[in-house]
Amino acid sequence: MTMNFFRGVMGGQPAGPQPTGAETIHKLCDRVASSTLLEDRRDAVRALKSLSKKYRLEVGTQAMDHLVHILQTDRSDSEILGYALDTLYNIICNDEEEEQDESEDMAAAPPLSGKHKNVPVSDENAQKQEEDLGVLFTDKFLADSENVTLLLTLLEEFDFHVRWPGVKLLTALLKNQCNQVQGVILVSPMGVSRLMDLLADSREVIRNDGLLLLQQLTKGNAAIQKIVAFENAFERLLDIITEEGSSDGGIVVEDCLLLLVNLLKNNSSNQNFFKEGSYIQRMKPWFEVGDDNSGWSAQKVTNLHLMLQLVRVMVSPVNSPGATSSCQKSMYQCGLLQQLCTILMATGVPADILTETINTVSEVIRGSQINQDYFASVNAPSNPPRPAIVVLLMSMVNERQPFVLRCAVLYCFQCFLYKNQKGQGEIVATLLPSTIDANSISAGQLLCGGLFSADSLSNWCAAVALAHALQDNLTQKEQLLRVQLATSLGKPPVSLLQQCTNILSQGSKVQTRVGLLMLLCTWISNCPIAVTHFLHNQENVPFLTGQISENLGEDERLVQGLCALLLGICIYYNDNSLENYTKEKLKQLIEKRIGKENFVEKLGFVTKHELYSRAAQKPQPVFPSPEQMLFDHEFTKLVKELEGVITKAVHKTSEEEKKEEEVKKTLEQHDSIVIQYKDLIRDQDTQIQELREQVSTLSLNSEQMHNQITQQQSQIQQHKDQYNILKLKLGKDSQGLSSNQGLSSSQGEGAHVNGLHSEELSQLREEVEELRRQHTLQHTQLSDKDSLINTLRCGAAAQTAEGGAGGSDNTDLLREVESLRSRVQSQCAEISQLQTERQELIRRAEAVSSAPASSSESSADTVKVSELESRLAAQTTETERLKEECRGLREGHAGLEQQLASAQSTVAIEQTEKTKLQQEVQESKKEQDDLLMLLADQDQKILNLKQRLRDLGETIEDEDELDARDQFGEDDDEDDEEEEDEENND
């Protein structure tokens, strides 16, 4: 019974009626669901696998839930898990290979039922139905997110029959519903880590399919890209590329490179991680080429193309400027740029690889001065050697070269000149008469040759290349005016500007004229001297107005728009140096011959062109065909910048321009005043900072002096104590001598007085020395105070801007000075007291000296006392002088305080005037803006009313005719009045 059943399933010929495919699949599903034996379930799942390709719809509809249940319950049997995973893969996958296998099977064996017979479906419809089935069954599988988690768990199984079909099934799910599967994997614990483990599998087929899985997983999901990168993906992928032979490797290298591009493209975090991990250095060996480069395989070409694309991802112009600059620097330092230039100059390199290498070198040097300088020094291996730039330009102006190669060379030249004023100067210098070398071909000669050749594409490329040599460089725009061209023998040379306008007026192809007009617009924009040279030719303005005013076909609308842009630039950047072509006269010419509204409409043809927006998207010139090569990326920026200002300039009247110029002058004056105040405030801030430093220094010195005074006061107190003790001792000694010795009153008194006199003189000497030291110290302190007051006097004017803070600092300092003065006065009082005591002692000594018991010792003491008296008198005089100086300093300080108050009031007045000026400027700006708005509204209303009157059939006369008629009427009135006066007189 069982054998007959499986024989019927496998295509045998049992007796009786043959079951349909749906019936067979239904029976197999029942067997899977109800069988208790593992072998029966395994055989049933195997049978479903064999039918899943041919009867995809039936198996997917009936068996998917049973297959998922098998994955959940029969985890112990790897064979049945493999069959179940293969079956799910067959019903979900939309791969072309599987569909081809299915069609071959259907052609070889007839279906089991008549359901699929004679169904005339085209290949496209069949493909669409198959894709719809894949999406349908994918949605059914993903209805429960736990199914994806279950699949991730099964990938941990090392068994080949489980892991490999699991990888393929998850890849198919990602292809059909990428975002949904990515979301489940992202929130699954260790989900991405489990998939990264596939790269470490020793079985190449699993590792390679793991690469395909990671490619699908990392598409368009920055979060997963970051997780994969931090799971050491860069290291693993680069190791695999090296193991597989780098550029000489097979399809595995291609898969690794595609995965790397996914991880790095538009992901600044991964790009920075790649650069910081020194992985850029590991890319250099990929581009090593030999002398013989013929016979490259298609796979090697594909690999190298992806490697170059990976380099471009790191330095793409859409990346942040800082990240791009850092990567460009690393590529130069590790020698990668040098290796790319070697491929650029090598022979035998396939054309598509050469083109992509040129594009890669372009973006590696774009905006990097170091890389641009290196590229300028590269020479081609020719005899004689020629610069690589010259060799590339020769290809660009050669019409026999492939179109994509010429576009790549133009892009390389643009990137070389991007933000490279040095390179721009070198290119323009090759056109100047003083630097032309007749024996060698220069970049300037090639550009001129391409500019005036018969090939319109060469004309356009040369014009755009020359325009990039002038981009944002006023100096080179003026230098290019010096270029003279020899047109033919016997005729004088003409300027390059004149020759461009001559060719433009000859009516060449649209592509040529567009290129020349873009060159002229770039050349004369923001360069009044070039505008003057252009207007000096009397034929240029009539030609432009004629082109704009004509009603031409669709092909000529772009040329008309560019002519309007060129004429508008002549108005906007006109310095009115030519009397016949001032701004006002050019606007009058537009109004009479073209009409302002018509002019603005023609100007808008440029931005409305279908190719304009395409060129504005990215810097690289990518065009499907040479005929669509009309706009340059940098020129679109110029148009966007100038369109609005030219429209405003054309509509402005002379009065509005005069008012605007007056407003500009007023604003410039106010700005200059503000700048002066800013400079003044900046200087005052500097002075305040210096004064603060000085105040801090003086405060420190003041603290030191305060400490010294405290020490001196303690020393004075000690001397006072010693002096009082000596006085007491002397008194006791004199009493003891008179009572114990019993000498005569006169002799005893004389001896006592003499002894006392001697001791007192010694004590006085000590006191005088101490007073001398104190005097010297006070003199030094007063000198310091003098220097402090002088410093304050010099800085008083600068301190006026400091306000309250600076004033408080000076007040504190002055209080400290007053405190020091009071201490000095107290010390002077102590000195006076000591002098009084000394005089008392002297009187006592003089009373003793009148006694007859004088000796040689007393005479000597008298001399010393006289000396001490003279010295003390001198010190007293010096002290008086110091007091006078203190009074003078106090008066000077009062004067300084008055000056400081005056300066502060002056600053307050100036600040008030500044505030008023700023308010007046703001009010003036607001009034002018309101006036301009009112005038514009009034003009518009007048125009609308005139138009309505014209529409109603009324005749509207111009303002000039009305003025003339009014004048004529006034003259008639005056004549009538004169006649009446004469009659009255008669």
Side-chain angles (χ1 to χ4, degrees), residues 111-296:
L112 294 179
S113 68
K115 183 176 180 179
H116 298 279
K117 291 182 180 179
N118 301 325
V119 182
V121 181
S122 64
D123 293 340
E124 293 182 359
N125 292 335
Q127 175 72 16
K128 187 175 185 303
Q129 289 178 0
E130 294 293 337
E131 291 178 357
D132 292 341
L133 281 178
V135 175
L136 175 66
F137 292 135
T138 300
D139 292 338
K140 185 177 180 181
F141 185 83
L142 296 177
D144 187 1
S145 60
E146 291 298 326
N147 292 341
V148 179
T149 306
L150 174 63
L151 195 54
L152 292 173
T153 306
L154 292 175
L155 290 179
E156 294 181 352
E157 296 288 341
F158 188 72
D159 191 288
F160 179 80
H161 296 92
V162 177
R163 204 172 208 188
W164 186 39
V167 171
K168 293 194 296 180
L169 176 58
L170 189 56
T171 305
L173 292 171
L174 283 165
K175 287 181 179 179
N176 292 335
Q177 289 290 354
C178 187
N179 294 335
Q180 192 173 352
V181 180
Q182 284 175 337
V184 177
I185 294 175
L186 192 59
V187 299
S188 177
M190 301 297 292
V192 178
S193 299
R194 293 172 183 172
L195 300 180
M196 286 298 299
D197 292 339
L198 298 174
L199 297 182
D201 200 304
S202 59
R203 294 159 294 192
E204 290 189 0
V205 63
I206 294 180
R207 183 198 67 183
N208 298 343
D209 282 348
L211 288 171
L212 299 176
L213 170 60
L214 289 172
Q215 285 181 27
Q216 297 297 327
L217 180 65
T218 55
K219 281 185 177 179
N221 193 308
I224 293 180
Q225 290 169 1
K226 292 178 183 178
I227 296 173
V228 172
F230 282 97
E231 287 285 344
N232 205 21
F234 295 141
E235 186 75 28
R236 295 185 186 182
L237 293 173
L238 293 175
D239 289 342
I240 294 174
I241 292 174
T242 304
E243 292 170 3
E244 294 291 330
S246 297
S247 60
D248 294 323
I251 189 69
V252 178
V253 174
E254 179 182 350
D255 292 336
C256 290
L257 292 170
L258 287 171
L259 179 54
L260 283 172
V261 171
N262 279 356
L263 294 175
L264 293 173
K265 193 170 185 179
N266 298 327
N267 193 318
S268 57
S269 175
N270 283 2
Q271 290 174 5
N272 185 61
F273 182 62
F274 191 85
K275 179 183 69 68
E276 295 297 333
S278 300
Y279 296 119
I280 291 178
Q281 288 82 337
R282 296 185 61 177
M283 298 167 66
K284 179 187 174 184
W286 296 351
F287 304 103
E288 293 178 355
V289 296
D291 297 332
D292 186 12
N293 298 306
S294 59
W296 284 10

Side-chain angles (χ1 to χ4, degrees), residues 3-15 18-19 24 28 47 50-51 54-55 109-112:
M3 293 301 295
N4 290 334
F5 174 76
F6 284 112
R7 189 179 292 113
V9 172
M10 300 307 294
Q13 299 295 330
Q18 184 178 359
T24 303
L28 290 173
S50 64
L51 295 173
K54 190 178 298 183
Y55 298 99
L112 294 179

Side-chain angles (χ1 to χ4, degrees), residues 301-506:
V301 172
T302 303
N303 291 344
L304 265 177
H305 196 279
L306 287 172
M307 290 172 177
L308 292 169
Q309 186 179 350
L310 188 62
V311 175
R312 294 185 65 184
V313 165
M314 297 297 297
V315 292
S316 174
V318 301
N319 297 343
S320 64
T324 300
S325 176
S326 179
C327 291
Q328 289 172 333
K329 184 178 179 181
S330 298
M331 290 178 183
Y332 173 76
Q333 292 175 346
C334 73
L336 179 58
L337 174 60
Q338 294 84 330
Q339 202 67 47
L340 293 173
C341 291
T342 303
I343 298 178
L344 202 64
M345 296 292 106
T347 56
V349 178
D352 52 348
I353 293 298
L354 180 61
T355 301
E356 188 64 19
T357 304
I358 294 173
N359 288 327
T360 305
V361 171
S362 304
E363 294 182 353
V364 173
I365 67 174
R366 187 176 189 269
S368 175
Q369 188 65 52
I370 298 176
N371 294 5
Q372 289 168 340
D373 292 343
Y374 170 78
F375 183 71
S377 66
V378 175
N379 288 324
S382 59
N383 190 16
R386 288 176 177 170
I389 297 175
V390 173
V391 175
L392 292 175
L393 288 177
M394 292 172 68
S395 301
M396 186 185 74
V397 298
N398 187 352
E399 56 184 313
R400 292 189 295 272
Q401 293 292 339
F403 173 64
V404 290
L405 179 63
R406 299 174 73 180
C407 290
V409 173
L410 176 61
Y411 184 45
C412 184
F413 191 73
Q414 292 173 350
C415 292
F416 169 68
L417 296 177
Y418 182 72
K419 294 184 179 180
N420 183 11
Q421 293 195 352
K422 177 183 177 183
Q424 290 175 326
E426 293 173 353
I427 296 298
V428 173
T430 59
L431 287 165
L432 299 178
S434 59
T435 58
I436 292 178
D437 185 3
N439 298 323
S440 63
I441 299 176
S442 65
Q445 293 173 356
L446 290 171
L447 290 176
C448 280
L451 195 62
F452 307 125
S453 70
D455 179 28
S456 61
L457 183 60
S458 297
N459 301 153
W460 190 91
C461 291
V464 171
L466 195 55
H468 276 262
L470 307 175
Q471 196 75 38
D472 300 326
N473 196 327
L474 180 61
T475 303
Q476 302 311 322
K477 290 179 182 180
E478 296 176 357
Q479 287 293 320
L480 200 63
L481 296 172
R482 298 170 48 202
V483 177
Q484 300 289 323
L485 301 176
T487 55
S488 60
L489 294 175
K491 291 185 179 181
V494 296
S495 66
L496 177 61
L497 182 66
Q498 182 61 44
Q499 185 65 15
C500 291
T501 56
N502 291 341
I503 296 176
L504 192 63
S505 61
Q506 291 172 4

Side-chain angles (χ1 to χ4, degrees), residues 739-937:
S739 62
N740 293 330
Q741 292 179 358
L743 295 175
S744 64
S745 61
S746 61
Q747 291 178 351
E749 184 180 359
H752 170 71
V753 172
N754 288 335
L756 179 62
H757 181 68
S758 177
E759 292 176 357
E760 288 179 350
L761 286 176
S762 300
Q763 184 67 28
L764 285 173
R765 290 191 190 98
E766 293 176 357
E767 291 178 0
V768 169
E769 291 296 330
E770 181 65 26
L771 290 173
R772 186 182 293 112
R773 286 194 299 269
Q774 292 178 3
H775 172 73
T776 304
L777 180 61
Q778 291 173 356
H779 184 72
T780 304
Q781 291 174 355
L782 288 174
S783 299
D784 293 338
K785 300 302 181 297
D786 290 339
S787 62
L788 174 62
I789 292 172
N790 290 329
T791 303
L792 292 174
R793 183 183 293 113
C794 295
Q799 283 180 332
T800 56
E802 187 176 9
S808 61
D809 293 339
N810 290 336
T811 304
D812 294 340
L813 191 61
L814 293 174
R815 289 176 180 173
E816 184 68 21
V817 172
E818 291 296 331
S819 175
L820 293 175
R821 286 201 184 98
S822 64
R823 290 177 182 176
V824 169
Q825 291 175 358
S826 64
Q827 290 179 4
C828 292
E830 291 177 357
I831 291 172
S832 300
Q833 183 179 358
L834 291 174
Q835 287 177 348
T836 304
E837 294 178 355
R838 184 185 66 82
Q839 290 175 358
E840 181 66 23
L841 291 174
I842 290 173
R843 282 197 301 270
R844 291 173 61 186
E846 289 176 351
V848 174
S849 62
S850 60
S854 300
S855 62
S856 61
E857 183 179 355
S858 63
S859 63
D861 291 336
T862 303
V863 173
K864 291 181 180 180
V865 169
S866 300
E867 292 177 357
L868 289 174
E869 287 176 351
S870 62
R871 291 169 62 183
L872 184 60
Q875 289 180 356
T876 303
T877 306
E878 183 67 20
T879 301
E880 293 296 329
R881 186 183 66 80
L882 290 175
K883 288 181 180 180
E884 291 294 331
E885 288 181 358
C886 285
R887 283 193 294 272
L889 291 174
R890 196 175 293 108
E891 293 174 356
H893 172 66
L896 288 175
E897 287 181 342
Q898 293 177 357
Q899 293 178 4
L900 180 61
S902 175
Q904 288 176 345
S905 62
T906 303
V907 169
I909 293 171
E910 290 178 351
Q911 190 68 27
T912 305
E913 292 177 354
K914 175 185 173 182
T915 306
K916 290 181 179 178
L917 285 174
Q918 291 177 344
Q919 292 176 353
E920 290 175 0
V921 170
Q922 294 296 329
E923 292 175 356
S924 176
K925 288 182 179 179
K926 185 176 180 181
E927 291 175 358
Q928 290 166 358
D929 291 338
D930 295 338
L931 181 60
L932 290 175
M933 291 294 294
L934 290 173
L935 290 174
D937 294 338

